Amino acid sequence: MNARLPDHTVIQAIRPKVLFKAIENRFPGQNVGFTVNIPSPDIGGMTLLESSVLVSLAKLTGASSLFEFGTFMGATTLLLAQNTPVDAQVVTIDLPPDEVSSTHTGDVLKDGDANDDYLRSAFADQGARCLARADAAVHSKVQQILQDSTTLDVREQGFEHQFDFIFIDGGHHFDIVKKDTENAYRMARKNAVVLWHDYASNIHSDVTEFLNGHAQGRRIYHVEHTMIAFELLGDFSTLLSGS
């Protein structure tokens, strides 16, 4: 369920069909499909609509170098690896499971801190189980980093200006989203798409608060009926024109 957004937000809401129309415009005369697994019923997964939005943006931009903040069960990592070119590379980062507490308290459906604790606990217990079950073709495209994303040294890793698709879905506290976003722009190529999950979430309000402030002077879109917001950088900013 999406939270009620403040009237003053500068983030532009668009219908999913705007993206789908852009796909039709880019691939005229083609039936553009995608591979998706049955969504996990667990907390923290994405809906089928959100999955189609992510894949649509990957295909619209022709993404070949992708970075994901927040591996969790590996479902989104798998989705991106399955729906990008065979030579694409997906880098994903999450906390080392052995450094995460496997306990949690509170109402995980109403309290953001409790929800994050639950997600970390599930990751500590099970790891990226969707990714672990994937075939060799997927594993050959994926590089998994086990590290606190806020300690990521972009320059040391050789990640500066290396990615054309960056998905931010790690920790949901304001300072973590801010740090991951700052790193995302350092890692982005001139033409890239940066995406955030949990915008307009009833639980993780820090993501919405951060993005509403961050969006000042930028063209950031929120896809209605999802918790996905995104920004198209460089020449990609024209991809929705005429859709």
Side-chain angles (χ1 to χ4, degrees), residues 38-59:
I38 299 299
S40 170
D42 288 353
I43 295 170
M46 291 203 307
T47 66
L48 279 172
L49 179 56
E50 288 176 330
S51 296
S52 67
V53 167
L54 244 67
V55 172
S56 292
L57 282 164
K59 290 183 178 295

Side-chain angles (χ1 to χ4, degrees), residues 106-212:
D107 191 334
V108 299
L109 296 178
K110 294 182 178 179
D111 182 277
D113 289 339
N115 188 277
D116 269 350
D117 286 344
Y118 169 81
L119 297 177
R120 295 187 186 103
S121 173
F123 185 62
D125 288 341
Q126 303 178 49
R129 61 185 186 275
C130 296
L131 190 57
R133 296 192 293 253
D135 59 26
V138 166
H139 282 283
S140 69
K141 297 172 69 173
V142 175
Q143 175 188 349
Q144 189 175 7
I145 300 174
L146 296 176
Q147 179 182 340
D148 183 336
S149 67
T150 64
T151 68
L152 182 67
D153 189 323
V154 173
R155 176 175 294 180
E156 184 178 90
Q157 291 284 347
F159 287 161
E160 289 184 307
H161 314 302
Q162 293 302 306
F163 298 94
D164 49 22
F165 184 107
I166 304 173
F167 183 46
I168 300 171
D169 190 22
H172 299 101
H173 280 286
F174 188 99
D175 290 344
I176 298 176
V177 180
K178 181 175 184 291
K179 180 64 174 179
D180 288 348
T181 299
E182 290 170 350
N183 277 336
Y185 286 113
R186 292 180 60 199
M187 295 159 63
R189 291 175 176 169
K190 177 183 177 182
N191 301 324
V193 57
V194 178
L195 310 91
W196 298 263
H197 193 232
D198 290 297
Y199 179 75
S201 164
N202 279 325
I203 299 175
H204 299 298
S205 57
D206 277 15
V207 179
T208 306
E209 180 185 352
F210 168 76
L211 278 175
N212 283 338

Side-chain angles (χ1 to χ4, degrees), residues 77-90:
T77 320
L78 178 62
L79 179 74
L80 295 175
Q82 289 175 322
N83 291 283
T84 47
V86 294
D87 59 348
Q89 289 293 307
V90 181

Side-chain angles (χ1 to χ4, degrees), residues 8-81:
H8 63 271
T9 181
V10 298
I11 293 179
Q12 181 179 342
I14 61 171
R15 295 179 179 180
K17 70 177 184 180
V18 172
L19 282 177
F20 304 151
K21 180 62 176 177
I23 291 289
E24 285 190 349
N25 291 343
R26 173 155 186 176
F27 303 100
Q30 296 184 38
N31 294 319
V32 181
F34 69 100
T35 298
V36 64
N37 298 297
I38 299 299
S40 170
D42 288 353
I43 295 170
M46 291 203 307
T47 66
L48 279 172
L49 179 56
E50 288 176 330
S51 296
S52 67
V53 167
L54 244 67
V55 172
S56 292
L57 282 164
K59 290 183 178 295
L60 189 64
T61 58
S64 61
S65 183
L66 304 89
F67 193 96
E68 175 189 40
F69 288 92
T71 312
F72 186 39
M73 69 183 79
T76 306
T77 320
L78 178 62
L79 179 74
L80 295 175

Side-chain angles (χ1 to χ4, degrees), residues 190-192 233-239:
K190 177 183 177 182
N191 301 324
L233 304 177
D235 293 341
F236 287 172
S237 63
T238 64
L239 288 174

